[in-house]
Amino acid sequence: MDSRRGLLVIALLFLSFLVWQQWQLDYHTPKPVTTEQVSSVTVASKASGSDILSLSQESGRIITLENDVFRLQVDTLGGDVVKSELLNYDAELDSKTPFTLLNNQKDHIYVAQSGLVGKDGIDTKAGRANYQVEGENFKLAEDQNELVVPFTFEKDGVVFRKIFVLKRGAYSIDVNFEINNQSEKAIEVEPYAQIKHTLVEDTGNVAMPTYTGGAYSSAENNYKKYSFEEMQKANLSVSTKAGWIAVLQHYFVSAWVPNQDNNNQLYTSTDSANNVAFIGYRGPATVVSAGENQVISSKLWTGPKLQTQMASVANYLDLTVDYGWAWFIAKPLFWLLTFIQSLVHNWGIAIIGVTLVVKAALYPLTKAQYTSMAKMRMLQPKLQEMRERFGEDRQRMSQEMMKLYKEEKVNPLGGCLPLVLQMPIFIALYWTFLEAVELRHAPFFAWIQDLSAQDPYYILPILMGASMFLLQKMSPTPVADPTQQKIMNFMPLMFMVFFLWFPSGLVLYWLVSNLITIVQQQLIYRGLEKKGLHSRNK
């Protein structure tokens, strides 16, 4: 297969891949419902998620908790985390305003709720626990590694303490219920935690597909998405040992992780009238005898998709960095990307470094591709003679062609197969650059100040299109079908226009890859010329 056909194949494969992604977005996304916000909290039953407890949700005092990476706002009514500001991530490039993940606004609700229900629960239809806190603002001091803030509620001789533990450099929060039963009888409670989120529509496009919705992990599924649309169709009800639930968006995630030694019930529910969805877990009943003290533990992650940190919080939580089916290639590529960045301290240069390493590793396939193309080109005169001799006798023509390939020891698919084998690696790189929060607002040089955004002046896409055009012109041109020739001449322009909206990091990769391919192609062809296997027919 000649180089131009190779470019056509890889272009069609890549475009098909992007169209498939966009189809997944278009047909797996709920449409927003415009209704007036009515406050409520939903807790699904342990059995099926159908027993909904509608709890009044007014507002108590807002308490601020802060460490070195985020600032939280916690409502004393229920102890819900109603806002999280990520101090190391700007809302917009150079805005100096922290990115807000959790938020409790009328038009966009995204809060992390937790409490105790069951026989002696403190969250009931009559109302939620209204905690007492000694202070308004709590901040991790420079000489501290841990900030502990207790929220206290007393009921019928039982002291309930909801304790938030923030650690230095960590986006995970320990949220523990300490129950001190000072009454004369045993009590029974069941812990729950859930994320409440407005039903929204994904804003991804064909160049940058994104997912906003739920996900969970269970004994049967290490990681599985459960979209808002799926929640509206059927409530999730999964009983599992350990597990976790989460809500994802591009680059960021919030997740509740229950006690991993317990059997937990994962659930979802939706309130279409109020335009909200819930995904959460309910833990097993805990009996606290009179005079005893027990602790029920959980963790809340609210922050960027940092794979190493998330993996330390819960098994498979790092899979929320979703590389799709190419994850087994993307993970080592991401490791390589971060390793090179640790040496050069520039993500753009790291992308160039990864491209060099990948192209070097694939050089044997590239050489096999161009060698096969050269051998096929040598046979063009004989094949043309066969076409003239056998005319419309396609069966005889096919037989003679296969005989010729066998005699000359040429594989007609030899140029195509290496190209197909390279596609999974390219797709893995595509997902690596798309999913890595490390590239968000990461500068390269000069006008490229955000590798996750499109080139503001479209310089990289234009250079990429020019490199594709140059690659075509430098490739030997066999006798080609006129229609195919027109398509191939149009391909660089089409790709250049298409890449105008791509993240500049991805365009940088493609540009560097093209330049390396040009160099490799010339080196291979010069070697073949010395062996008499290649002649230029321009």
Side-chain angles (χ1 to χ4, degrees), residues 456-486:
Y457 302 112
Y458 308 115
I459 295 174
L460 286 180
I462 292 173
L463 292 176
M464 188 279 303
S467 69
M468 285 191 68
F469 180 78
L470 180 62
L471 184 59
Q472 282 192 0
K473 289 300 181 182
M474 294 182 68
S475 300
T477 306
V479 177
D481 178 81
T483 302
Q484 182 191 111
Q485 189 72 38
K486 290 180 181 179

Side-chain angles (χ1 to χ4, degrees), residues 69-81:
V69 296
F70 55 37
R71 183 185 303 118
L72 308 178
Q73 289 186 2
V74 182
D75 194 335
T76 57
L77 186 62
D80 298 337
V81 183

Side-chain angles (χ1 to χ4, degrees), residues 108 426 482 522:
H108 181 71
F426 169 75
Q522 295 308 303

Side-chain angles (χ1 to χ4, degrees), residues 61 63 65 76 131-136 138 149-152:
R61 293 165 54 216
I63 308 299
L65 314 179
T76 57
Y131 294 95
Q132 300 300 311
V133 184
E134 296 181 359
E136 298 279 344
F138 300 86
V149 182
F151 286 51
T152 305

Side-chain angles (χ1 to χ4, degrees), residues 211 213-217 222-225 244-255 301 303-307 309-311 314-324 331 431 435-436:
Y211 172 78
Y216 69 91
S217 178
N222 294 340
Y223 167 74
K224 187 173 179 61
K225 291 179 180 177
W244 48 260
I245 59 89
V247 169
L248 317 180
Q249 66 187 63
H250 196 205
Y251 297 132
F252 303 99
V253 59
S254 293
W301 175 282
K305 295 179 181 178
L306 301 177
Q307 297 177 59
Q309 284 196 33
M310 289 191 294
N315 289 336
Y316 313 118
L317 188 58
D318 58 316
L319 296 183
T320 55
V321 180
D322 192 354
Y323 295 129
K331 277 187 172 290
W431 278 115
E435 281 286 290

Side-chain angles (χ1 to χ4, degrees), residues 210-229:
T210 62
Y211 172 78
T212 299
Y216 69 91
S217 178
S218 67
E220 293 185 355
N221 294 286
N222 294 340
Y223 167 74
K224 187 173 179 61
K225 291 179 180 177
Y226 204 75
S227 69
F228 291 135
E229 184 179 29

Side-chain angles (χ1 to χ4, degrees), residues 20 22 42 78 139 191 209 230 250 320 341 405 491:
W20 174 81
Q22 190 63 34
T42 304
K139 185 174 181 178
E230 290 174 297
H250 196 205
T320 55
Q341 194 277 337
Y405 292 151
M491 191 65 67

Side-chain angles (χ1 to χ4, degrees), residues 25 52 60 72 101 168 212 294 300 305 355 393 407 411 423 492:
L25 282 176
I52 305 301
L72 308 178
L101 185 56
R168 182 172 296 279
T212 299
Q294 287 202 31
L300 171 65
K305 295 179 181 178
T355 311
D393 191 347
E407 291 175 350
N411 180 1
M423 276 304 296

